[in-house]
Amino acid sequence: VGTNNASSAVLSEVREGGEGNAGEIAITTSALKVNNGAIVSTSTRNQGDAGTLTINAADSVILDGVGSNKQSSVVGSAVLAGKGKAGNTNITTNTLEVLNGAFVSNSSFGEGDAGTITINAADSVIIDGEGINGQFSGIQSQVEESAEGNAGNILITTDSLQATNGAFISTTNLGEGNAGTITINAADSVIIDGESINGRPTGIASQVEGSAASNPGNINITTDTLKILDSALISAGTSGKGDAGTITINAGYVILDGEGTINKRPSVITSSVEIGAEGSNGNISITTDSLELMNGARLLAVTKGKGHAGTITINAADSVTIEEKSTDGSIFSAVGSSVTPEAEGNGGEIFIFTDSLKLTDSAGIFARTQGIGRAGSIELNANSVELAQNAEINSLSATDSEAGNITLNIFDTLIAEDSSITSSSSQSAGGEIKITAGDIRLRGDSDILTNVNSGADNGGNITLTTDSI
């Protein structure tokens, strides 16, 4: 920052009153550092498109910190006013670090689309922390409030990606238009970990928040190991008018574990229609060898507004393990679909395909409705299923809507110890329970139950097909 309080910068822009497209910026170097509030940007403020920004740095690109003028260090392209498109931002390097409130950003404040961000980092992408100006480090494509246009896509290809301490990767539309799609291809690992000093979770998110009809983008992650830890999240949602995006994960190993030390919220993957929003949830699909949810972690499709909850599909070749509550015991680990009070829409369905499914310590698989709309159904396909220590599989309706059906196709053994499989409704029909298993073992205070608490309707049928009970 100079004595005139201006940031050091490399700029190509269409200024106020100008008409035409801004030129491109291309930087080729061994290492690029953008520090202390410096800016590398293409932009437009009037009639015309911003240019493409291309960085080729053989060794590293580091964006770090905030200047004395409270400006974050930033690389990107923007429509700052007027009418035009932001340019694309392309970064090719070995290591990309975005630290202490710096960010890579394509955005639109006017009438036009935000550009695509493409990052190819052969070794690693590291995003960490927040700046003294309160800005969190991040990679973002955003359409601001009152603007019109689509947020751009974000495409990251690397060996290892790590976001920590409140950092984020996001596409957001606060105005009129769609949010972009986030695609991450990380050969080794993706780690989303922790929260900021004031409790903001680290995350990957695609969100629509404007009042106009818009849709969030999808989130696609392909990696060997995905870890979502200590309050971190992956979220696709709508707070406006439009359907939430889908979340698709392909990983050898997926683990959600732990809660934040400040916000006390568990780690979560969620697709949501928020209060006041209108639209249906996107689906969540996970393909993996092994999935673990621990210490209150959750995988959720939720509608709090007007719209249906999405479908959750888990294909885990080896195992699904859901266990352990949060440290204060108030939140149990779960895979769930929910229609909350005041919401209107059907609960989403849950499908799980795995060799071994294990639920312990109040863990749950649930499809519930407390609003206007039926609860979702649950279908489990496994070689063996074990429920213990008050674990639950349930489809519940707390209103005059129907509970969903529960279907278990188990090649070998179902073991339930002090646990329950339940489909019930407070006022309408309970769903059916169908279990096919080689062997069914109920121990302690275990129940297979379908019922109606009040009203004229009946509980659903229970059908057990097995060699022995």
Side-chain angles (χ1 to χ4, degrees):
V1 177
T3 56
N4 61 353
N5 209 38
S7 297
S8 300
V10 177
L11 302 175
S12 176
E13 60 181 342
V14 180
R15 295 191 172 182
E16 293 180 12
E19 293 186 17
N21 297 328
E24 299 182 354
I25 295 176
I27 298 174
T28 301
T29 182
S30 174
L32 173 66
K33 293 184 179 180
V34 183
N35 299 336
N36 301 317
I39 302 170
V40 179
S41 174
T42 65
S43 62
T44 178
R45 296 177 182 270
N46 198 45
Q47 301 270 342
D49 298 338
T52 296
L53 170 59
T54 302
I55 297 171
N56 290 288
D59 182 31
S60 63
V61 175
I62 299 174
L63 285 66
D64 189 6
V66 175
S68 58
N69 58 358
K70 302 299 177 67
Q71 165 68 49
S72 293
S73 301
V74 62
V75 167
S77 181
V79 179
L80 298 174
K83 184 176 182 179
K85 295 180 180 179
N88 298 328
T89 298
N90 305 311
I91 299 174
T92 302
T93 186
N94 187 55
T95 300
L96 171 64
E97 297 183 26
V98 185
L99 311 171
N100 300 313
F103 55 96
V104 179
S105 176
N106 280 9
S107 58
S108 176
F109 294 81
E111 186 178 340
D113 298 340
T116 295
I117 296 173
T118 302
I119 296 169
N120 289 285
D123 183 55
S124 62
V125 175
I126 298 171
I127 314 166
D128 180 67
E130 63 183 295
I132 57 173
N133 60 355
Q135 171 68 48
F136 298 97
S137 302
I139 299 172
Q140 67 176 19
S141 178
Q142 184 160 308
V143 175
E144 301 292 340
E145 190 173 356
S146 300
E148 297 181 17
N150 298 319
N153 299 327
I154 297 175
L155 174 61
I156 300 174
T157 303
T158 186
D159 187 63
S160 172
L161 183 145
Q162 181 172 310
T164 52
N165 299 313
F168 65 91
I169 300 170
S170 69
T171 63
T172 307
N173 198 309
L174 303 173
E176 183 177 344
N178 299 325
T181 290
I182 298 172
T183 301
I184 298 171
N185 295 296
D188 182 54
S189 63
V190 174
I191 299 173
I192 314 299
D193 187 7
E195 59 188 339
S196 68
I197 57 175
N198 64 359
R200 181 185 188 274
T202 306
I204 299 173
S206 177
Q207 188 78 18
V208 164
E209 299 180 11
S211 59
S214 306
N215 293 318
N218 302 323
I219 297 174
N220 305 310
I221 299 175
T222 302
T223 187
D224 183 68
T225 300
L226 172 62
K227 295 182 179 181
I228 305 169
L229 308 173
D230 301 331
S231 178
L233 63 83
I234 296 176
S235 173
T238 177
S239 299
K241 295 181 179 180
D243 297 340
T246 62
I247 299 173
T248 303
I249 295 169
N250 290 280
Y253 174 53
V254 179
I255 181 170
L256 284 72
D257 186 13
E259 61 187 292
T261 56
I262 298 171
N263 64 28
K264 302 300 180 182
R265 288 177 291 201
S267 301
V268 66
I269 297 174
T270 181
S271 175
S272 64
V273 177
E274 297 297 328
I275 295 173
E278 296 182 17
S280 295
N281 268 348
N283 300 327
I284 299 174
S285 175
I286 298 178
T287 302
T288 183
D289 290 332
S290 176
L291 169 66
E292 292 186 35
L293 306 181
M294 304 173 65
N295 297 306
R298 292 195 157 192
L299 177 60
L300 298 175
V302 182
T303 178
K304 304 175 185 177
K306 293 183 178 181
H308 304 313
T311 296
I312 298 174
T313 303
I314 298 169
N315 287 282
D318 183 30
S319 63
V320 175
T321 304
I322 308 172
E323 59 185 2
E324 300 178 4
K325 293 177 283 190
S326 59
T327 53
D328 64 1
S330 63
I331 303 174
F332 55 88
S333 300
V335 174
S337 168
S338 179
V339 180
T340 65
E342 311 298 330
E344 297 182 22
N346 295 328
E349 298 183 333
I350 297 173
F351 299 94
I352 298 178
F353 303 85
T354 188
D355 182 66
S356 172
L357 172 64
K358 184 177 181 180
L359 284 72
T360 62
D361 193 16
S362 300
I365 298 172
F366 66 83
R368 299 176 180 172
T369 179
Q370 296 173 287
I372 301 173
R374 63 170 176 79
S377 295
I378 298 170
E379 180 182 324
L380 308 181
N381 299 272
N383 185 55
S384 64
V385 174
E386 181 179 351
L387 313 177
Q389 299 172 313
N390 299 308
E392 295 184 60
I393 298 173
N394 60 59
S395 181
L396 304 177
S397 171
T399 66
D400 59 0
S401 299
E402 296 179 0
N405 298 326
I406 297 175
T407 303
L408 276 61
N409 299 307
I410 304 167
F411 180 77
D412 191 2
T413 305
L414 166 64
I415 299 175
E417 183 167 357
D418 297 320
S419 298
S420 63
I421 300 170
T422 307
S423 179
S424 66
S425 175
S426 62
Q427 302 173 47
S428 186
E432 295 188 346
I433 297 177
K434 295 181 180 181
I435 301 176
T436 301
D439 186 16
I440 298 175
R441 304 176 188 177
L442 304 183
R443 300 170 177 168
D445 183 16
S446 293
D447 298 309
I448 299 175
L449 176 67
T450 174
N451 71 337
V452 175
N453 294 330
S454 64
D457 287 317
N458 297 318
N461 297 322
I462 297 176
T463 304
L464 306 180
T465 304
T466 181
D467 293 334
S468 65
I469 299 178

